[in-house]
Coordinates of all heavy atoms in Angstrom, one line a residue:
R1 N 14.2 -4.4 -6.1 CA 13.2 -4.6 -7.2 C 11.9 -5.3 -6.7 O 12.0 -6.2 -6.0 CB 13.9 -5.6 -8.2 CG 13.2 -5.6 -9.6 CD 13.9 -6.4 -10.6 NE 15.1 -5.7 -11.0 CZ 16.4 -6.1 -10.8 NH1 16.6 -7.3 -10.2 NH2 17.4 -5.4 -11.2
G2 N 10.9 -4.7 -7.2 CA 9.5 -5.2 -6.8 C 9.0 -4.4 -5.5 O 7.8 -4.6 -5.3
R3 N 9.9 -3.7 -4.8 CA 9.3 -2.9 -3.7 C 9.5 -1.5 -3.8 O 8.7 -0.8 -3.2 CB 10.3 -3.4 -2.4 CG 10.2 -4.9 -2.1 CD 10.8 -5.2 -0.7 NE 12.3 -4.9 -0.7 CZ 12.9 -4.1 0.1 NH1 12.3 -3.4 1.0 NH2 14.2 -3.9 -0.1
F4 N 10.4 -1.1 -4.6 CA 10.7 0.4 -4.7 C 10.4 0.8 -6.2 O 10.6 0.0 -7.1 CB 12.3 0.7 -4.5 CG 12.7 0.6 -3.1 CD1 11.9 0.0 -2.1 CD2 13.9 1.1 -2.8 CE1 12.4 -0.1 -0.8 CE2 14.4 1.0 -1.5 CZ 13.6 0.5 -0.5
V5 N 9.9 2.0 -6.4 CA 9.6 2.5 -7.7 C 10.1 3.9 -7.8 O 9.9 4.8 -6.9 CB 8.1 2.6 -8.0 CG1 7.7 3.1 -9.4 CG2 7.4 1.2 -7.8
I6 N 11.0 4.1 -8.8 CA 11.5 5.4 -9.2 C 10.8 6.1 -10.2 O 10.2 5.5 -11.1 CB 13.1 5.3 -9.5 CG1 13.7 6.6 -9.6 CG2 13.3 4.5 -10.9 CD1 15.3 6.5 -9.8
S7 N 10.6 7.3 -10.0 CA 9.9 8.2 -11.1 C 10.6 9.5 -11.2 O 11.2 10.0 -10.2 CB 8.4 8.4 -10.7 OG 8.3 9.0 -9.5
G8 N 10.6 10.1 -12.4 CA 11.3 11.4 -12.7 C 10.4 12.3 -13.4 O 9.6 11.9 -14.2
D9 N 10.7 13.6 -13.3 CA 10.0 14.6 -14.1 C 11.1 15.5 -14.8 O 11.9 16.1 -14.2 CB 9.2 15.5 -13.2 CG 8.4 16.5 -13.9 OD1 8.8 17.0 -15.0 OD2 7.2 16.9 -13.6
N10 N 11.4 15.1 -16.0 CA 12.3 15.8 -16.8 C 12.3 17.3 -16.9 O 13.2 18.0 -16.8 CB 12.6 15.3 -18.2 CG 13.0 13.7 -18.3 OD1 13.7 13.3 -17.3 ND2 12.6 13.0 -19.2
A11 N 11.0 17.8 -16.9 CA 10.7 19.2 -17.0 C 11.1 19.9 -15.8 O 11.6 21.1 -15.8 CB 9.2 19.5 -17.5
K12 N 10.9 19.2 -14.6 CA 11.1 19.9 -13.3 C 12.5 19.5 -12.7 O 12.9 20.0 -11.6 CB 10.0 19.6 -12.3 CG 8.7 20.2 -12.8 CD 7.6 19.9 -11.8 CE 6.2 20.4 -12.3 NZ 5.2 20.1 -11.3
N13 N 13.1 18.5 -13.4 CA 14.4 18.0 -12.8 C 14.2 17.4 -11.5 O 15.1 17.6 -10.5 CB 15.5 19.0 -12.8 CG 16.0 19.4 -14.3 OD1 15.7 18.6 -15.2 ND2 16.5 20.5 -14.5
T14 N 13.1 16.7 -11.2 CA 13.0 16.1 -9.9 C 12.9 14.6 -10.1 O 12.4 14.1 -11.2 CB 11.6 16.6 -9.3 OG1 10.6 16.3 -10.2 CG2 11.5 18.1 -9.1
V15 N 13.1 13.9 -9.0 CA 13.2 12.5 -9.0 C 12.6 12.1 -7.6 O 13.0 12.6 -6.6 CB 14.5 11.8 -9.3 CG1 15.6 12.3 -8.3 CG2 14.5 10.3 -9.4
S16 N 11.8 11.0 -7.7 CA 11.1 10.5 -6.4 C 11.4 9.0 -6.4 O 11.7 8.3 -7.4 CB 9.7 10.7 -6.4 OG 9.5 12.1 -6.4
L17 N 11.3 8.5 -5.1 CA 11.6 7.0 -4.9 C 10.5 6.6 -3.9 O 10.4 7.0 -2.7 CB 13.0 6.7 -4.3 CG 13.2 5.3 -4.2 CD1 13.4 4.5 -5.5 CD2 14.5 5.1 -3.3
Q18 N 9.5 5.8 -4.4 CA 8.5 5.2 -3.6 C 9.0 3.9 -3.0 O 9.3 2.9 -3.7 CB 7.2 5.0 -4.4 CG 6.0 4.4 -3.6 CD 5.6 5.1 -2.5 OE1 5.4 6.4 -2.6 NE2 5.4 4.6 -1.3
M19 N 9.1 3.8 -1.7 CA 9.7 2.7 -1.1 C 8.6 1.9 -0.2 O 8.0 2.5 0.7 CB 10.8 3.1 -0.1 CG 11.9 3.9 -0.8 SD 13.3 4.2 0.2 CE 12.6 5.3 1.5
N20 N 8.3 0.7 -0.6 CA 7.2 -0.1 0.0 C 7.8 -1.3 0.7 O 8.9 -1.7 0.3 CB 6.2 -0.5 -1.0 CG 5.5 0.7 -1.6 OD1 5.3 1.7 -1.0 ND2 5.3 0.6 -3.0
S21 N 7.1 -1.9 1.5 CA 7.5 -3.1 2.1 C 9.0 -3.0 2.7 O 9.8 -3.8 2.5 CB 7.5 -4.3 1.2 OG 6.1 -4.5 0.7
L22 N 9.2 -1.9 3.4 CA 10.5 -1.6 3.9 C 11.1 -2.6 4.9 O 10.2 -3.2 5.7 CB 10.6 -0.3 4.5 CG 10.6 0.9 3.4 CD1 10.2 2.2 4.1 CD2 12.0 1.0 2.8
K23 N 12.3 -2.9 4.8 CA 13.0 -3.9 5.7 C 14.1 -3.2 6.5 O 14.6 -2.1 6.0 CB 13.6 -5.0 4.9 CG 12.7 -5.7 4.0 CD 13.4 -6.7 3.0 CE 12.6 -7.5 2.1 NZ 13.2 -8.4 1.3
P24 N 14.4 -3.8 7.7 CA 15.4 -3.2 8.5 C 16.8 -3.0 7.7 O 17.5 -2.0 7.9 CB 15.7 -4.2 9.6 CG 14.3 -4.7 9.8 CD 13.8 -4.9 8.4
E25 N 17.0 -3.8 6.8 CA 18.2 -3.7 5.9 C 18.2 -2.6 4.9 O 19.3 -2.3 4.3 CB 18.5 -5.1 5.3 CG 17.4 -5.7 4.5 CD 16.8 -6.7 5.3 OE1 16.4 -6.4 6.5 OE2 16.4 -7.8 4.7
D26 N 17.1 -1.9 4.7 CA 16.9 -0.7 3.9 C 17.5 0.5 4.6 O 17.6 1.5 4.1 CB 15.6 -0.5 3.5 CG 15.0 -1.6 2.6 OD1 15.8 -2.1 1.7 OD2 13.9 -2.1 2.7
T27 N 17.8 0.3 6.0 CA 18.3 1.5 6.7 C 19.5 2.0 6.2 O 20.5 1.3 6.0 CB 18.4 1.1 8.2 OG1 17.2 0.7 8.8 CG2 19.0 2.2 9.0
A28 N 19.6 3.3 5.9 CA 20.7 4.0 5.3 C 20.5 5.4 5.1 O 19.4 5.9 5.3 CB 21.1 3.3 3.9
V29 N 21.6 6.1 4.7 CA 21.5 7.5 4.2 C 21.2 7.3 2.8 O 22.0 6.7 2.0 CB 22.7 8.3 4.6 CG1 22.5 9.7 3.9 CG2 22.8 8.4 6.1
Y30 N 20.1 8.0 2.3 CA 19.7 7.9 0.9 C 20.2 9.2 0.2 O 19.8 10.3 0.7 CB 18.2 7.7 0.6 CG 17.9 6.2 0.9 CD1 18.0 5.7 2.2 CD2 17.5 5.3 -0.1 CE1 17.7 4.3 2.5 CE2 17.2 4.0 0.1 CZ 17.3 3.5 1.4 OH 17.0 2.3 1.6
Y31 N 20.8 9.1 -1.1 CA 21.3 10.2 -1.7 C 20.7 10.3 -3.1 O 20.6 9.3 -3.7 CB 22.7 10.3 -1.9 CG 23.7 10.2 -0.6 CD1 24.0 9.1 0.0 CD2 24.0 11.5 -0.1 CE1 24.7 9.0 1.3 CE2 24.8 11.5 1.1 CZ 25.1 10.2 1.8 OH 25.8 10.2 2.9
C32 N 20.3 11.4 -3.6 CA 19.9 11.5 -4.9 C 21.1 12.0 -5.8 O 22.0 12.7 -5.3 CB 18.6 12.4 -5.2 SG 18.9 14.2 -4.9
K33 N 21.1 11.7 -7.0 CA 22.1 12.1 -7.9 C 21.5 12.5 -9.3 O 20.6 11.7 -9.8 CB 23.1 10.9 -8.1 CG 24.1 11.1 -9.2 CD 25.0 9.8 -9.4 CE 25.8 9.8 -10.6 NZ 26.5 8.5 -10.8
H34 N 22.0 13.6 -9.9 CA 21.6 13.9 -11.3 C 22.9 13.8 -12.0 O 24.0 14.4 -11.7 CB 21.1 15.4 -11.4 CG 19.7 15.5 -10.8 ND1 19.2 14.7 -9.9 CD2 18.8 16.5 -11.0 CE1 17.8 15.1 -9.7 NE2 17.6 16.2 -10.3
Q35 N 22.8 13.2 -13.2 CA 24.0 13.0 -14.0 C 23.9 13.9 -15.3 O 22.9 13.7 -16.0 CB 24.1 11.5 -14.4 CG 25.3 11.2 -15.1 CD 26.6 11.4 -14.3 OE1 26.6 10.9 -13.2 NE2 27.5 12.1 -14.8
T36 N 24.9 14.7 -15.5 CA 25.1 15.4 -16.8 C 26.5 15.0 -17.3 O 26.8 13.8 -17.2 CB 24.9 16.9 -16.6 OG1 26.0 17.3 -15.8 CG2 23.6 17.3 -16.0
Y37 N 27.2 16.0 -17.7 CA 28.6 15.7 -18.0 C 29.3 15.4 -16.7 O 30.5 15.0 -16.7 CB 29.3 16.8 -18.8 CG 29.4 18.0 -18.0 CD1 30.6 18.4 -17.4 CD2 28.4 19.0 -17.8 CE1 30.8 19.5 -16.6 CE2 28.6 20.2 -17.2 CZ 29.8 20.4 -16.5 OH 29.9 21.5 -15.8
R38 N 28.7 15.9 -15.6 CA 29.2 15.6 -14.2 C 28.1 15.1 -13.4 O 27.0 15.1 -13.8 CB 29.8 16.9 -13.7 CG 28.9 18.1 -13.7 CD 29.2 19.1 -12.7 NE 29.1 18.8 -11.3 CZ 29.1 19.6 -10.2 NH1 29.7 20.7 -10.4 NH2 28.9 19.0 -9.0
S39 N 28.5 14.7 -12.1 CA 27.5 14.3 -11.3 C 27.2 15.3 -10.2 O 28.1 16.0 -9.7 CB 28.0 13.1 -10.5 OG 28.3 12.0 -11.4
Y40 N 25.9 15.5 -9.9 CA 25.4 16.4 -8.8 C 24.8 15.5 -7.8 O 23.9 14.6 -8.1 CB 24.3 17.3 -9.4 CG 24.8 18.3 -10.3 CD1 24.8 18.1 -11.7 CD2 25.4 19.6 -9.9 CE1 25.3 19.0 -12.6 CE2 25.8 20.5 -10.8 CZ 25.8 20.2 -12.1 OH 26.2 21.1 -13.2
W41 N 25.2 15.6 -6.4 CA 24.6 14.9 -5.4 C 23.9 15.7 -4.4 O 24.3 16.8 -4.1 CB 25.8 14.2 -4.7 CG 26.5 13.2 -5.4 CD1 27.5 13.4 -6.3 CD2 26.2 11.8 -5.5 NE1 27.9 12.1 -6.8 CE2 27.1 11.1 -6.4 CE3 25.2 10.9 -4.9 CZ2 27.1 9.7 -6.7 CZ3 25.2 9.6 -5.1 CH2 26.1 9.0 -6.0
G42 N 22.9 15.1 -3.7 CA 22.3 15.8 -2.6 C 23.1 15.4 -1.4 O 24.0 14.8 -1.3

């Protein structure tokens, strides 16, 4: 919180994540998820 900003476009079903002031502990595999009656994962 305060470093990352999420944004979405409902018309295009896209989601973005702006990550600022990154730290070594942010190292990971990042997955996106769309939720309907079920979950879709990247």
Side-chain angles (χ1 to χ4, degrees):
R1 188 175 293 111
R3 299 188 296 123
F4 291 11
V5 179
I6 189 170
S7 59
D9 186 326
N10 291 330
K12 297 181 180 179
N13 291 339
T14 58
V15 61
S16 297
L17 185 69
Q18 178 65 43
M19 306 186 294
N20 301 319
S21 302
L22 282 160
K23 304 176 181 180
E25 51 263 44
D26 294 319
T27 295
V29 178
Y30 285 69
Y31 299 88
C32 70
K33 174 186 166 183
H34 285 18
Q35 185 66 49
T36 65
Y37 70 93
R38 55 158 287 182
S39 299
Y40 295 89
W41 290 92

